[in-house]
Short mmCIF file of all heavy atoms in Angstrom, two decimals:
data_model
loop_
_atom_site.label_atom_id
_atom_site.label_comp_id
_atom_site.label_asym_id
_atom_site.label_seq_id
_atom_site.Cartn_x
_atom_site.Cartn_y
_atom_site.Cartn_z
N THR W 77 -4.46 4.11 8.89
CA THR W 77 -3.88 2.82 8.53
C THR W 77 -4.56 2.21 7.32
O THR W 77 -5.81 2.26 7.14
CB THR W 77 -3.82 1.75 9.63
OG1 THR W 77 -3.12 2.32 10.75
CG2 THR W 77 -3.15 0.46 9.20
N MET W 78 -3.74 1.73 6.38
CA MET W 78 -4.25 1.10 5.15
C MET W 78 -3.80 -0.39 5.22
O MET W 78 -2.72 -0.68 5.74
CB MET W 78 -3.73 1.77 3.93
CG MET W 78 -4.04 1.06 2.59
SD MET W 78 -3.36 2.02 1.15
CE MET W 78 -1.57 1.94 1.41
N TYR W 79 -4.55 -1.25 4.59
CA TYR W 79 -4.27 -2.61 4.55
C TYR W 79 -4.37 -3.22 3.12
O TYR W 79 -4.99 -2.64 2.23
CB TYR W 79 -5.29 -3.46 5.39
CG TYR W 79 -5.39 -2.94 6.77
CD1 TYR W 79 -6.38 -2.03 7.06
CD2 TYR W 79 -4.50 -3.30 7.70
CE1 TYR W 79 -6.51 -1.59 8.43
CE2 TYR W 79 -4.56 -2.86 9.07
CZ TYR W 79 -5.59 -1.91 9.40
OH TYR W 79 -5.73 -1.49 10.72
N LEU W 80 -3.64 -4.31 2.91
CA LEU W 80 -3.76 -5.03 1.65
C LEU W 80 -3.83 -6.48 2.05
O LEU W 80 -2.87 -7.13 2.38
CB LEU W 80 -2.54 -4.74 0.71
CG LEU W 80 -2.67 -5.40 -0.62
CD1 LEU W 80 -3.87 -4.73 -1.45
CD2 LEU W 80 -1.38 -5.29 -1.46
N GLN W 81 -4.99 -7.08 1.82
CA GLN W 81 -5.10 -8.54 1.99
C GLN W 81 -4.93 -9.19 0.73
O GLN W 81 -5.57 -8.96 -0.30
CB GLN W 81 -6.64 -8.80 2.47
CG GLN W 81 -6.82 -10.35 2.68
CD GLN W 81 -6.08 -10.88 3.79
OE1 GLN W 81 -5.91 -10.32 4.84
NE2 GLN W 81 -5.48 -12.10 3.57
N MET W 82 -3.94 -10.01 0.71
CA MET W 82 -3.44 -10.79 -0.47
C MET W 82 -3.69 -12.26 -0.31
O MET W 82 -3.17 -12.92 0.56
CB MET W 82 -1.94 -10.48 -0.69
CG MET W 82 -1.61 -9.04 -0.78
SD MET W 82 0.17 -8.72 -1.23
CE MET W 82 0.90 -9.38 0.28
N ASN W 83 -4.57 -12.72 -1.20
CA ASN W 83 -5.00 -14.13 -1.19
C ASN W 83 -4.47 -14.80 -2.46
O ASN W 83 -4.20 -14.15 -3.42
CB ASN W 83 -6.46 -14.33 -0.96
CG ASN W 83 -6.96 -13.76 0.39
OD1 ASN W 83 -6.22 -13.76 1.36
ND2 ASN W 83 -8.18 -13.33 0.37
N SER W 84 -4.50 -16.13 -2.54
CA SER W 84 -4.13 -16.92 -3.69
C SER W 84 -2.89 -16.31 -4.36
O SER W 84 -2.75 -16.08 -5.53
CB SER W 84 -5.26 -16.80 -4.68
OG SER W 84 -6.47 -17.37 -4.09
N LEU W 85 -1.83 -16.13 -3.51
CA LEU W 85 -0.57 -15.62 -4.03
C LEU W 85 0.09 -16.39 -4.97
O LEU W 85 0.04 -17.62 -4.89
CB LEU W 85 0.27 -15.23 -2.84
CG LEU W 85 -0.11 -13.97 -2.01
CD1 LEU W 85 0.47 -14.00 -0.60
CD2 LEU W 85 0.35 -12.74 -2.76
N LYS W 86 0.71 -15.75 -6.01
CA LYS W 86 1.45 -16.37 -7.03
C LYS W 86 2.95 -16.02 -7.05
O LYS W 86 3.23 -14.90 -6.50
CB LYS W 86 0.87 -16.02 -8.36
CG LYS W 86 -0.61 -16.27 -8.51
CD LYS W 86 -1.11 -15.80 -9.83
CE LYS W 86 -2.68 -15.98 -9.99
NZ LYS W 86 -3.14 -15.46 -11.27
N PRO W 87 3.82 -16.86 -7.54
CA PRO W 87 5.18 -16.38 -7.58
C PRO W 87 5.42 -15.09 -8.29
O PRO W 87 6.30 -14.27 -7.83
CB PRO W 87 5.82 -17.50 -8.40
CG PRO W 87 5.01 -18.71 -8.13
CD PRO W 87 3.63 -18.13 -8.00
N GLU W 88 4.59 -14.72 -9.21
CA GLU W 88 4.71 -13.44 -9.89
C GLU W 88 4.28 -12.24 -8.98
O GLU W 88 4.47 -11.10 -9.40
CB GLU W 88 3.94 -13.39 -11.24
CG GLU W 88 2.56 -13.87 -11.17
CD GLU W 88 2.46 -15.28 -11.51
OE1 GLU W 88 3.12 -16.14 -11.09
OE2 GLU W 88 1.43 -15.65 -12.30
N ASP W 89 3.77 -12.43 -7.91
CA ASP W 89 3.42 -11.51 -6.92
C ASP W 89 4.71 -11.04 -6.04
O ASP W 89 4.72 -10.09 -5.32
CB ASP W 89 2.36 -11.87 -5.95
CG ASP W 89 1.00 -12.07 -6.66
OD1 ASP W 89 0.61 -11.22 -7.59
OD2 ASP W 89 0.30 -12.99 -6.33
N THR W 90 5.84 -11.82 -6.22
CA THR W 90 6.93 -11.51 -5.50
C THR W 90 7.51 -10.13 -5.88
O THR W 90 7.73 -9.81 -7.01
CB THR W 90 8.07 -12.58 -5.81
OG1 THR W 90 7.53 -13.86 -5.31
CG2 THR W 90 9.30 -12.21 -5.18
#
Side-chain angles (χ1 to χ4, degrees):
T77 301
M78 174 179 63
Y79 306 95
L80 186 69
Q81 178 65 44
M82 304 186 294
N83 298 329
S84 302
L85 282 160
K86 304 175 181 179
E88 51 263 43
D89 295 318
T90 296

